[in-house]
Amino acid sequence: LRLSACDVVEHFDGACICDLAPVDSRGSPFVAPVDMLFIKGKAWFSSSAESLRFSNIRRNPRVSLARTVGSEISVLIHGIANVVDVTVGEHKFLHDLCIECYGDPYDSWGLWGHPWAWIEPRRMFASRLPSG
């Protein structure tokens, strides 16, 4: 069964672990887990500026993201990662959501200021297997 946009938002509430696949220098997918925040219809994630993930994305922004919940829900997003420098411009909403999701200790972890990216979907598939 296909999931509606509302169903997808319900299953992406808050932070969740997803599998992100940017492409490496040979054009092959390179899958690794990321903490993903779904904000106003956009999938956002962060990593170190020096990470292989962001190095690959800067060279080629095509990515796929997969979220699977048990054996019944699957959401796939194929699109373009848009890198954002959160130290420039208006990104208070993102910082506030990080505090809401991870709690007050978030700022002490030293993660704010790392690059973030959001995925501009080109294709998206969402389904739920019937239970029972």
Side-chain angles (χ1 to χ4, degrees), residues 10-124:
E10 177 183 321
H11 292 290
F12 274 125
D13 187 32
C16 59
I17 301 294
C18 292
D19 296 313
L20 179 74
V23 292
D24 66 16
S25 60
R26 295 172 307 224
S28 299
F30 185 86
V31 179
V34 293
D35 266 6
M36 198 272 308
L37 299 174
F38 200 61
I39 307 167
K40 297 181 183 178
K42 292 179 182 174
W44 288 80
F45 60 92
S46 180
S47 189
S48 166
E50 296 81 29
S51 70
L52 184 57
R53 174 180 298 121
F54 269 92
S55 176
N56 287 330
I57 288 170
R58 282 188 198 94
R59 186 180 52 264
N60 183 341
R62 294 179 300 156
V63 298
S64 292
L65 181 122
R67 168 75 170 146
T68 304
V69 180
S71 60
E72 58 186 59
I73 295 173
S74 177
V75 178
L76 304 171
I77 301 171
H78 307 288
I80 303 297
N82 295 276
V83 178
V84 174
D85 179 352
V86 296
T87 64
V88 177
E90 269 307 307
H91 297 97
K92 184 176 180 339
F93 73 94
L94 188 55
H95 182 260
D96 290 348
L97 189 58
C98 288
I99 298 294
E100 181 182 321
C101 289
Y102 301 111
D104 290 332
Y106 176 79
D107 281 332
S108 69
W109 300 341
L111 299 175
W112 186 251
H114 287 206
W116 281 77
W118 61 274
I119 300 173
E120 178 184 337
R122 298 294 167 93
R123 290 187 178 185
M124 188 169 174

